[in-house]
Amino acid sequence: MREESAATLPAPPAGQPAIDGVSTSRSAAPAAPFRLGRRNAYAALDLGTNNCRLLIAEAASHGFRVIDAFSRIVRLGEGLGTSDRLSEAAILRTLEALRICRSKMETRGVVRAKIIATEACRLAVNGADFVERVRTQVGLDLEIVDRQTEAYLAVTGCAALADPYAESVVIFDIGGGSTEIAWLDGAATNPSTDPTLRIRAWDSLPVGVVTLAERHGGAEVTRLMFEGMVEEVADLLARFAIRAAPAANARHFHLLGTSGTVTTLAAMHLRLVRYERRRVDGLWMSDGEVSDAIDDLLDTRLDQRADNPCIGRDRADLVLAGCAILEAIRRAFPSERLRIADRGLREGLLMNMMREDGVWRRGGHR
């Protein structure tokens, strides 16, 4: 990844935000204000039930250019399938990852950031206490977003991969604690139009890979256990499936999915020795190819999944729960093809911030 030097100015007085989303309650980073005609670094941080992910990017002529990134599995929502609290061990793991993220933002001279938390913090009774610890101990202002916001961000981040000729698309994001799904109606005649304007129906299912695996088991999954997971998700999906029933009948309809589940299936289908984003993001898979990849995973043991570099030990016990969520979606919306997205909430956050600042309209990039 190409290194960029960032100009810095003195930090504002203590207690004022140095940049949107970054508190100065402790040793704040100096940050440059937004200026036209210079490179302005933006940061988007998505703290999910399973992962902590950061992207830092600059606006480019057609979108943005990533200049730094960070991802770590923290399992913040570990135990939420059976409890209502974030555990101290999970909190400490997450705080450590967030400190790394803050350091990267300081180094890159980020001028504006959006830092969000999703289902784990929405569900936990100590979610607000955790947000306060992040503010005081790390210096980041974490926002717990609602389910509709999360669904719309997933659409914003992924919609560019939809077939422009498709008159209907179902986009889904399989998370650690929830699954967002939306029906986009009508073809994307103008790529610059906000894709959320095409949303005809959306839902946020209270189930993700962590919570589903904790309820059913994720280490050794039999086909009978797998069907039990699929049935649970199908029940939760039923209301949305009724509202979006016409989707699959439209011309060139397809599914578009983002998550570690679908990118893992894509990597297995491609038989990658190690994960390669450039080969996975935007990949089309046929219905049969998706079925074959799921079948192959169902035939593996936990140690085999852990040894697969495209899965790893941190996700070996979660990937089949993700496949069950995907399978329920496929059964509700039969499609001959699925497009894989290695992008999502962070990209949606970046696009929204840059759009709000008018960086493309005003030429605030180079």
Side-chain angles (χ1 to χ4, degrees), residues 270-281:
L270 293 171
R271 304 195 182 282
L272 299 181
V273 175
R274 58 182 173 276
Y275 187 78
E276 298 179 59
R277 182 185 184 277
R278 64 181 180 81
R279 296 186 60 187
V280 169
D281 186 50

Side-chain angles (χ1 to χ4, degrees), residues 331-345:
R331 293 180 188 181
F333 300 98
S335 173
E336 294 180 357
R337 55 195 183 137
L338 164 67
R339 194 158 208 196
I340 309 297
D342 187 349
R343 58 181 77 183
L345 300 189

Side-chain angles (χ1 to χ4, degrees), residues 31 44 65 90 94 210 266 291 294 322 344:
R65 176 178 57 256
T94 305
V210 174
S291 294
I294 293 175

